[in-house]
Amino acid sequence: MAKTYRWGIIGTGNIATQFATCLKVCDNAVLRAVGSRSQASADAFGDKFDIPTRHATYEGLIDDPEVDVVYVSTPHSLHKENSIACLQAGKPVLSEKPFTLNVSESKEVIAVAKDTGLFLMEGMWTRFFPAIKQVESWIASGAIGEPRMVRCDFGFYMEYGERNRLWDPALGGGSLLDVGIYPINLASIAFKDAPETIQGAAHISEQGIDEQAAFVLGYSGGRLATLSSAVRAQSDWNAYIYGETGMIKIHECFWRPHAATLIPREGEPTTFDEPLESIGFEHEIREVMRCLDAGLTECPTMPHSRTLEVMGTMDALRNQWGLKYPGE
Ligand SMILES: NC(=O)c1ccc[n+]([C@@H]2O[C@H](COP(=O)([O-])OP(=O)(O)OC[C@H]3O[C@@H](n4cnc5c(N)ncnc54)[C@H](OP(=O)(O)O)[C@@H]3O)[C@@H](O)[C@H]2O)c1
C-alpha cells in the first residue's frame, strides 16, 4: 500500500489556499501542519483546512517531526532561504515558482539538495496537467511535424499597490518572474530545448519592477517563441504551437489547462478536454508523492536542469533591462 505523506505548508497566502484545497482531493496526502509569520494567520488557515498543527513561525514548521514534505508558498525572495532551511532539516521540498530570484540562488538550493540527498522540485504545475501531457504526445507523434514557433502571452491587470508583492522589488515583484515564467516554460515544453538567443524589451514601472515585457527566444534550427508578460494589461490566455503540418492550441488558461486542440493543416481538428478535479495542483502533488515513493531526488518532468534553464533565461532578460532586485 502506498505511503501517506504528511504535508506542511510555509506561508498562508493566495496560492497556499489553492494548494491546500487541492491536497484535499489527493489520496495518500494529509495536510499536517502550517507555518506562518503570525499565530493568527496560522490559526485562520488551520481552521479553514482542518490542519492539526499551526506554527507561529516558519522554523516551527520546518522542525516539526510530524511533517514529511514541505510546500514553500512565500514570495519569490524567500524561496531560497525557506527551501534551504527545509532541506537542512531533512525535509523534501516542493517550492513555488519562480524557484528563486535568480539562477545563482537556484544553484545554491540545488547544491543543498544534492548534499542532503533529498527531493527538491520547482512547482511549475503547468507541466503536470493531462492536457499538457496530451500536447507533448501529439508533438512526439509528429502530429504537427516539427514545432517551429510558439506564441504565448500571460498578462493580467492589477491596480498599483494591490497584491503588494507584485510591486515590491524586495519581494521579486514584476511580471516576468510572476507570470512571464509560464510562457517561457511553455516554449520549453514545446521545443524540449534551451534557447540559443534571448531578446526582450520591458517597461520598468516607477516602483522599479517590469510592468510589461515582450521577448523573443530563438532555438536551434530557426525555431522561435514570441512571448510576453504583464501586470497591467489583460492578454489572450490561449497558447499556440505552430508546426510544419499543423498547430496546437492550448485553451485558456494555458498555464492550468483542461483542454487543447490539435489542428492539422489537412483534416479535422481533435480536441482533448478533461475537466479538472480541483484547481489543478493535484497533478503536481501526486507527482511529488510518486517521486518520493520511488526514492527519486528530482522529478523527471521538472528536473533541476529545466529550472536552471528557465531561471537563466529570466536572468538574461533582466540583465538586458537593467532590472536588479535589492541585494543582487
Ligand atoms: N503556481 C501558481 O499558479 C502560482 C500562483 C500564484 C503565485 N504563485 C507563487 O507563489 C508564491 C506566493 O504567491 P501568493 O500569490 O500566494 O502571494 P501572497 O498571497 O502574497 O502570499 C504570500 C505569503 O507569504 C508569506 N510572506 C512571508 N513574507 C512575506 C512578505 N514580506 N510579504 C508578503 N507575504 C509574506 C505570507 O504568509 P504568512 O503571513 O502566513 O507568513 C503570505 O501570505 C509566489 O512565489 C508566486 O510566484 C504561484
Side-chain angles (χ1 to χ4, degrees):
M1 210 165 80
K3 175 178 170 174
T4 292
Y5 288 93
R6 298 167 300 178
W7 286 76
I9 297 184
I10 296 187
T12 57
N14 165 50
I15 215 61
T17 302
Q18 297 187 33
F19 187 89
T21 303
C22 296
L23 255 180
K24 294 278 176 193
V25 304
C26 296
D27 291 339
N28 307 321
V30 291
L31 188 40
R32 185 71 184 79
V34 62
S36 171
R37 292 167 302 167
S38 79
Q39 191 65 59
S41 282
D43 285 340
F45 195 86
D47 287 347
K48 188 165 185 182
F49 294 104
D50 200 15
I51 305 173
T53 313
R54 300 96 186 261
H55 297 280
T57 62
Y58 295 164
E59 293 74 23
L61 182 283
I62 290 165
D63 292 333
D64 187 335
E66 302 287 310
V67 169
D68 300 316
V69 50
V70 177
Y71 169 64
V72 172
S73 69
T74 47
H76 321 337
S77 52
L78 289 177
H79 291 177
K80 175 187 129 178
E81 175 189 324
N82 295 155
S83 297
I84 287 178
C86 291
L87 292 165
Q88 287 176 336
K91 305 259 194 303
V93 173
L94 170 65
S95 172
E96 256 310 335
K97 46 56 61 177
F99 189 58
T100 56
L101 281 184
N102 54 47
V103 78
S104 135
E105 286 193 356
S106 296
K107 285 178 181 168
E108 282 184 63
V109 184
I110 289 167
V112 178
K114 297 233 184 305
D115 283 351
T116 54
L118 288 165
F119 178 84
L120 171 68
M121 184 181 112
E122 178 183 10
M124 180 35 70
W125 63 330
T126 306
R127 291 184 184 256
F128 301 95
F129 284 77
I132 293 293
K133 300 282 178 200
Q134 179 61 65
V135 167
E136 289 182 303
S137 152
W138 280 330
I139 293 173
S141 71
I144 60 166
E146 186 188 19
R148 300 291 304 159
M149 297 192 77
V150 168
R151 178 158 74 82
C152 183
D153 305 290
F154 194 163
F156 64 98
Y157 182 83
M158 192 63 77
E159 291 291 342
Y160 291 121
E162 197 185 338
R163 295 276 297 283
N164 193 42
R165 70 173 178 78
L166 287 176
W167 302 103
D168 188 348
L171 298 179
S175 72
L176 180 67
L177 267 60
D178 203 68
V179 288
I181 190 170
Y182 288 103
I184 296 171
N185 268 279
L186 194 83
S188 163
I189 288 166
F191 292 143
K192 300 227 174 299
D193 213 349
E196 290 183 340
T197 59
I198 296 166
Q199 292 168 292
H203 168 61
I204 308 298
S205 77
E206 278 175 17
Q207 296 87 351
I209 57 100
D210 57 300
E211 190 174 299
Q212 54 196 25
F215 28 103
V216 179
L217 309 183
Y219 297 77
S220 62
R223 297 170 295 164
L224 286 175
T226 59
L227 315 172
S228 76
S229 60
V231 291
R232 273 176 72 79
Q234 178 63 48
S235 73
D236 182 11
W237 285 348
N238 299 297
Y240 303 89
I241 301 168
Y242 304 137
E244 297 161 310
T245 59
M247 62 181 257
I248 294 168
K249 172 180 176 178
I250 304 169
H251 299 253
E252 69 171 27
C253 306
F254 79 86
W255 64 92
R256 53 179 290 265
H258 63 87
T261 301
L262 168 66
I263 306 163
R265 205 175 55 208
E266 287 166 20
E268 291 302 309
T270 308
T271 293
F272 170 94
D273 194 346
E274 190 176 292
L276 300 180
E277 199 180 336
S278 184
I279 297 162
F281 288 98
E282 58 273 17
H283 302 297
E284 75 171 7
I285 292 168
R286 290 181 182 128
E287 176 62 7
V288 168
M289 296 192 296
R290 188 195 71 77
C291 290
L292 291 172
D293 277 340
L296 302 180
T297 53
E298 283 189 57
C299 169
T301 306
M302 189 61 197
H304 300 161
S305 56
R306 284 287 181 233
T307 288
L308 293 173
E309 169 196 316
V310 172
M311 290 305 308
T313 299
M314 297 196 297
D315 275 13
L317 286 166
R318 287 200 297 118
N319 275 340
Q320 289 175 18
W321 308 335
L323 176 58
K324 289 194 184 308
Y325 295 116
E328 283 191 313

